[in-house]
Amino acid sequence: MYKYTDTSITDNPKLDKIAKDLLQPVGLNIRFHIWMGLLTLGLMACLYAYWIQLNEGLIVTGLRDHVSWGMYLANFVFFVAASLIGMLISGILGLLGQEWIKPIARIAEIIAVAFAAVAGMVIVSDMGRPDRLPYVFMYGRIQSPILWDVTVVTTYMVISLLLWFIPMIPDMAIAKSRMDHCPKWLSFVYNILSLKWTHHPEQYKILFKATRILFILVVPTAFAIHTVTSWLFAVNPRAGWDSTIFGPYFLTGAFVAGSAGLIMAMYFFRNNYRLKAYITTEHFNKMGKLLFLTGLIYLYFNINEYIVPGYKLKTADAIHLKELLTGHFAPLFWSVQIGGLIIPLILLLFKRFRQPGILTIIAVFVFIASWFKRYLIVVPTMEHPYLPKQFLPQEWMLYQPTLIETAITIAPFILVLMIITVLSKLFPVVPIWEMAELGEQHEAHETHPIDESSLSDETDIKSHSDE
Amino acid sequence: MSEESNNKVPDNRNQNEGRKSRRDFLKNVGLFGAATAAGAGAIYSGYKYEQNKGSSEMVRVLTEDNRLVMIPRDQIQTVTLDQDALQKRGREGLEGHRWVMVIDLAKCRNARKCVDACQSAHHLRPHEYHITTLVMKDAPNTAPYFMPKPCQHCDNPPCVSVCPVNATFKRQDGIVLIDNERCIGCRFCISACPYSARMFHWQEPVMADTYEEEQPDYDVELNVPQRKGTISKCLFSADLVRVGQLPYCVTACPNGVFYFGDENQDAVTNGTTKETVRLSQLLKQNAGYRLMPELGTKPRVYYLPPKNRLFDAPDEDMTGTQIQETV
């Protein structure tokens, strides 16, 4: 019925090997079930904590009238931030014609989809009346940044999902006949998702066009989601939030967090999915450089954000900065700034620290610091309102997250891990057809299409200047 | 429609049919009965009306648009406002007024009667403040003073701007209210308010059991019943203002700290002495000011500076916390 045209993809002699390599981790083995079981158990415990919060009210958290936004909001900002990596890799680097991102682009999109999808749930956990969530759509007022946030986060999630799925359609067609080691229903799913793909050149033309439009769309959308998220704070007249650079400050911070997250995911898949030939040390080297670049820009915004108010020392800013730099937030502040930004930046200058193992360790530090950085943006400002906090119980003065609150904060991470696990276990995490195509292009240089050296800087630069 | 046609078509399809027509018959009987009762009621009330006509004395009443009219006493019906009506009038506010408050800091000695009256009227716990008093100190070498702090009912309210669902709103008479039947509990308004004027129901409100029993209608002008998981705030006692009374805190003050009135009439009344003065004169003669004018929020609460105080300056440690300098 469908005529298979002779194309470079299906003719490619390397395709069989590449497809075998990349499809080999797909499927639900016993480790998958144990891992998902553990995640489910953890999630149940966290959901029990949420159940308590639903019944008792937000009194079970450390939040009170003065610090009324705390860990949940910091977590929300972090989730939106981490999801931006999809845009940075596919959107910006993709549009710039960077070929080396191809094997890791899908992983970046999986991270984007997972974090963006869960971000919405994080914000619901902060609501006093989650049952009234539909009111946001029924009575929504367009001048509230919350409406903007809801709109753009949803849009971004949809675009990311499309950017994950559309480039995967040819893979579904390639894989559907090679799924002997997988359950039957999975082949069935592949068959449906392949959308009767025949590898016709015309189809590829449409695919390239569609993804290109999405790449262009995803850039402003992603800029919008984190800029708007920063405005949840910046529109409020409070010391520490009352800043004009919050948009780019958040955005660059998001790239740092996302790059670190992607490096961690790359390391995991490379070692556990036996993808060393595809996610190479050179990819880590490049991601290390990317982390350095984003970190450097973030450092620049940090300098602006703290030095400028610090120079003027307006009363409220002075109180805020004093708390951060020498007050009870100081240990956290300096650990985050030095351990999570300055030391990683220095280390990343050296190639030796851009090797997979050590880079992943650095990424873990950066990732954790990125979370606490959001905590430092949200909480200290709320602890220091303009008017004094008086005639209140002592425990209302300072914010102390509770155990229940912590459990509810962990729940979204478990959900993200579940989504990433399912997406990466049911579908190949590295694009098969793009690898085959990449191999074809490098055929002239190398005998083996994809190995470490084929993705070095020189070839990259060359292929660009050719274009 | 389909039932009707079913009845007309004679058939032997199932015995459901019989049950259906029996139900229809009962329904018809019911309808007829109800119509008869209603008709009889109407005739009876008409008869009663005719009988009483002329016998009842006339009374003078004010209509909603301030017209004085006369109606027979027995024609008077008590209007019970349902929730929709309460919501509608609560969101509209009182036409032609611009409510304003003046707080004379020279007279405050932290009796906190305003706080108590407010909390009992609005069913709040001791630490749930619509209004609170603060110990303020403007500079290291100036004396501290007490400052009652209600919601400032800003004319450019940051809290209203950020609300995603129109739960908090500004009325035509200047009052900023919160509708806890609408509030989703995102607490964006708390973040936006530079005066820390808002509170949140972190737990069940203190009178939750009573609400459970009595199921009172929600009055947005009183914000009672309070609801867990929603915002509450100072309402300028919109329920009292509607009936021409001064707010709870204003009348509760034993020291004459509060003036409340209408900016359009340029008149404010002291809650303790009940003396009415010109707003413009009061502000002019006493160098009245507003809190944090640099933020552009345009508060409707004015303060008179604490000079020639009636009471001693507060102790430094009376709040249990260090006195923070005013920002």
Side-chain angles (χ1 to χ4, degrees):
Chain A
M1 204 155 71
Y2 295 101
K3 221 173 87 188
Y4 279 79
T5 48
D6 292 340
T7 64
S8 56
I9 289 286
T10 40
D11 271 2
N12 194 316
K14 309 287 180 204
L15 184 66
D16 273 335
K17 158 119 180 57
I18 292 171
K20 193 164 171 279
D21 284 355
L22 296 180
L23 285 172
Q24 142 284 119
V26 174
L28 310 180
N29 53 17
I30 184 74
R31 279 169 69 194
F32 171 84
H33 289 295
I34 292 172
W35 171 239
M36 284 300 274
L38 286 175
L39 288 179
T40 313
L41 276 180
L43 190 65
M44 297 294 263
C46 296
L47 284 179
Y48 177 65
Y50 186 60
W51 175 247
I52 295 173
Q53 180 182 302
L54 272 183
N55 284 321
E56 307 281 314
L58 284 159
I59 189 85
V60 298
T61 67
L63 300 166
R64 292 298 181 267
D65 283 352
H66 282 91
V67 185
S68 74
W69 279 356
M71 216 153 71
Y72 295 153
L73 251 286
N75 210 28
F76 171 70
V77 176
F78 181 78
F79 271 65
V80 175
S83 78
L84 286 211
I85 189 63
M87 181 280 275
L88 178 65
I89 296 294
S90 314
I92 294 182
L93 296 182
L95 280 174
L96 288 173
Q98 297 284 325
E99 296 276 319
W100 64 272
I101 58 151
K102 280 187 173 168
I104 58 171
R106 191 173 291 163
I107 300 174
E109 289 305 337
I110 291 174
I111 293 175
V113 169
F115 276 96
V118 177
M121 292 179 215
V122 178
I123 205 71
V124 172
S125 69
D126 185 67
M127 285 170 64
R129 296 295 302 254
D131 55 314
R132 293 183 181 173
L133 185 64
Y135 284 13
V136 177
F137 307 98
M138 290 156 65
Y139 307 110
R141 282 160 87 242
I142 204 66
Q143 74 269 46
S144 172
I146 287 185
L147 263 284
W148 312 340
D149 221 7
V150 169
T151 316
V152 285
V153 170
T154 323
T155 314
Y156 181 71
M157 207 200 82
V158 172
I159 297 181
S160 296
L161 202 59
L162 287 175
L163 272 176
W164 168 75
F165 172 66
I166 291 179
M168 205 170 66
I169 298 170
D171 279 6
M172 298 289 94
I174 293 169
K176 65 183 174 189
S177 54
R178 302 168 204 256
M179 305 286 293
D180 313 327
H181 62 296
C182 292
K184 240 198 183 118
W185 61 268
L186 196 55
S187 307
F188 184 70
V189 170
Y190 274 37
N191 197 19
I192 294 171
L193 292 181
S194 69
L195 304 179
K196 298 176 177 170
W197 187 269
T198 60
H199 301 288
H200 192 282
E202 199 61 32
Q203 287 181 321
Y204 277 101
K205 227 167 132 187
I206 297 170
L207 182 118
F208 286 133
K209 208 174 204 172
T211 44
R212 197 173 167 78
I213 291 170
L214 287 173
F215 286 161
I216 294 167
L217 281 179
V218 79
V219 175
T221 313
F223 270 68
I225 74 169
H226 219 41
T227 307
V228 170
T229 304
S230 82
W231 288 351
L232 293 183
F233 305 97
V235 295
N236 301 315
R238 280 173 182 259
W241 292 351
D242 197 353
S243 161
T244 53
I245 64 160
F246 248 39
Y249 175 50
F250 270 47
L251 199 66
T252 47
F255 292 153
V256 175
S259 301
L262 179 58
I263 290 168
M264 286 153 62
M266 278 163 61
Y267 185 81
F268 175 85
F269 289 128
R270 173 183 151 98
N271 289 303
N272 287 287
Y273 283 22
R274 281 172 278 163
L275 298 174
K276 286 199 170 130
Y278 300 90
I279 301 172
T280 64
T281 50
E282 186 51 32
H283 284 108
F284 281 89
N285 184 29
K286 284 223 152 81
M287 280 308 295
K289 288 177 183 173
L290 186 67
L291 185 59
F292 177 79
L293 177 69
T294 54
L296 199 62
I297 302 171
Y298 192 47
L299 181 69
Y300 168 72
F301 277 106
N302 269 280
I303 290 169
N304 278 276
E305 184 56 26
Y306 293 116
I307 303 252
V308 174
Y311 189 90
K312 292 175 284 194
L313 284 182
K314 292 196 279 186
T315 320
D317 289 338
I319 296 168
H320 177 69
L321 285 175
K322 201 176 151 205
E323 275 307 315
L324 279 183
L325 305 183
T326 59
H328 77 277
F329 286 107
L332 189 58
F333 178 82
W334 291 113
S335 322
V336 164
Q337 295 296 63
I338 295 174
L341 195 57
I342 293 170
I343 292 177
L345 278 179
I346 294 169
L347 295 182
L348 287 171
L349 282 173
F350 305 99
K351 187 158 188 185
R352 148 162 41 125
F353 290 102
R354 299 196 298 266
Q355 299 297 316
I358 188 80
L359 180 66
T360 306
I361 293 170
I362 294 174
V364 170
F365 274 92
V366 172
F367 198 70
I368 293 170
S370 295
W371 191 91
F372 281 104
K373 174 74 181 176
R374 270 96 198 139
Y375 184 91
L376 284 171
I377 289 172
V378 176
V379 176
T381 289
M382 296 227 80
E383 272 189 11
H384 300 96
Y386 287 115
L387 295 174
K389 300 176 284 183
Q390 290 169 351
F391 301 104
L392 290 168
Q394 200 53 46
E395 66 269 19
W396 285 44
M397 296 296 179
L398 297 177
Y399 172 61
Q400 187 69 53
T402 62
L403 191 64
I404 290 177
E405 201 176 356
T406 311
I408 298 172
T409 304
I410 291 169
F413 284 97
I414 298 178
L415 269 174
V416 159
L417 286 178
M418 286 172 118
I419 295 175
I420 293 178
T421 308
V422 169
L423 291 185
S424 66
K425 253 344 232 178
L426 293 187
F427 304 100
V429 291
V430 175
I432 302 168
W433 68 276
E434 283 183 299
M435 290 300 97
E437 205 182 54
L438 210 61
E440 190 114 303
Q441 282 169 12
H442 293 283
E443 202 95 300
H445 307 278
E446 305 289 335
T447 41
H448 193 283
I450 292 144
D451 69 6
E452 320 253 315
S453 56
S454 74
L455 291 155
S456 65
D457 286 25
E458 296 84 66
T459 24
D460 244 300
I461 291 160
K462 201 177 244 169
S463 65
H464 286 148
S465 50
D466 287 350
E467 288 170 345
Chain B
M1 186 67 183
S2 65
E3 244 175 65
E4 227 172 275
S5 56
N6 273 348
N7 286 343
K8 277 175 196 156
V9 180
D11 71 339
N12 45 10
R13 276 177 306 185
N14 52 33
Q15 70 233 95
N16 252 359
E17 195 54 43
R19 211 177 296 156
K20 204 173 265 177
S21 45
R22 199 152 52 239
R23 197 193 301 149
D24 277 357
F25 172 74
L26 287 174
K27 203 162 48 180
N28 289 339
V29 167
L31 270 174
F32 180 73
T36 317
I43 291 165
Y44 179 71
S45 65
Y47 166 73
K48 280 285 270 192
Y49 174 79
E50 286 299 322
Q51 210 180 30
N52 287 339
K53 209 161 146 190
S55 70
S56 175
E57 64 171 313
M58 300 295 275
V59 286
R60 284 191 269 185
V61 291
L62 263 181
T63 63
E64 247 178 316
D65 53 346
N66 274 334
R67 280 187 304 129
L68 196 61
V69 295
M70 298 222 311
I71 55 165
R73 184 181 291 283
D74 61 306
Q75 291 289 297
I76 295 173
Q77 284 176 8
T78 330
V79 180
T80 46
L81 289 169
D82 64 346
Q83 197 140 320
D84 287 344
L86 284 169
Q87 282 281 354
K88 188 166 178 292
R89 71 170 199 187
R91 281 189 176 255
E92 277 170 1
L94 301 165
E95 203 183 334
H97 298 282
R98 299 291 288 166
W99 305 114
V100 64
M101 184 182 271
V102 181
I103 297 173
D104 188 350
L105 297 175
K107 295 178 190 157
C108 182
R109 65 173 173 108
N110 202 33
R112 284 176 84 80
K113 296 286 181 228
C114 53
V115 179
D116 295 342
C118 172
Q119 286 175 337
S120 79
H122 297 113
H123 305 174
L124 301 173
R125 288 188 177 84
H127 296 118
E128 297 172 341
Y129 295 122
H130 284 185
I131 184 171
T132 182
T133 59
L134 300 173
V135 184
M136 302 294 286
K137 193 174 176 184
D138 294 340
N141 53 358
T142 59
Y145 57 93
F146 294 112
M147 185 181 87
K149 187 213 62 185
C151 167
Q152 306 290 303
H153 293 273
C154 307
D155 279 344
N156 181 20
C159 52
V160 171
S161 303
V162 297
C163 179
V165 292
N166 203 13
T168 192
F169 53 91
K170 177 87 177 165
R171 312 201 306 182
Q172 57 177 332
D173 55 4
I175 301 181
V176 175
L177 287 189
I178 172 78
D179 178 355
N180 77 18
E181 294 287 314
R182 177 69 64 81
C183 176
I184 61 170
C186 69
R187 309 190 297 290
F188 204 159
C189 52
I190 290 190
S191 294
C193 179
Y195 306 102
S196 309
R198 287 168 169 259
M199 57 150 289
F200 185 73
H201 283 292
W202 302 100
Q203 52 187 321
E204 282 292 355
V206 67
M207 306 265 285
D209 293 341
T210 322
Y211 302 152
E212 194 75 34
E213 284 166 27
E214 294 172 9
Q215 302 280 343
D217 268 338
Y218 172 65
D219 182 1
V220 71
E221 291 186 337
L222 186 63
N223 204 29
V224 164
Q226 303 276 358
R227 288 265 176 268
K228 181 182 87 173
T230 65
I231 295 285
S232 191
K233 71 177 285 294
C234 158
L235 312 119
F236 258 7
S237 303
D239 58 323
L240 290 187
V241 173
R242 175 172 292 282
V243 295
Q245 291 180 28
L246 293 170
Y248 299 104
C249 53
V250 172
T251 41
C253 178
N255 300 312
V257 173
F258 295 94
Y259 295 83
F260 188 86
D262 186 350
E263 193 184 6
N264 287 352
Q265 296 170 358
D266 196 23
V268 285
T269 305
N270 189 292
T272 314
T273 63
K274 301 293 186 285
E275 180 192 7
T276 300
V277 294
R278 287 244 163 268
L279 171 69
S280 51
Q281 292 284 318
L282 186 68
L283 295 178
K284 210 174 281 174
Q285 282 165 4
N286 297 283
Y289 66 96
R290 301 191 288 193
L291 287 184
M292 298 178 227
E294 68 276 12
L295 296 178
T297 50
K298 305 195 181 90
R300 300 202 65 75
V301 175
Y302 292 86
Y303 286 91
L304 306 182
K307 67 158 197 172
N308 302 330
R309 264 180 279 175
L310 299 183
F311 307 99
D312 289 339
D315 288 338
E316 295 266 345
D317 61 346
M318 73 172 304
T319 62
T321 51
Q322 217 190 339
I323 299 174
Q324 191 185 323
E325 275 174 37
T326 325
V327 172

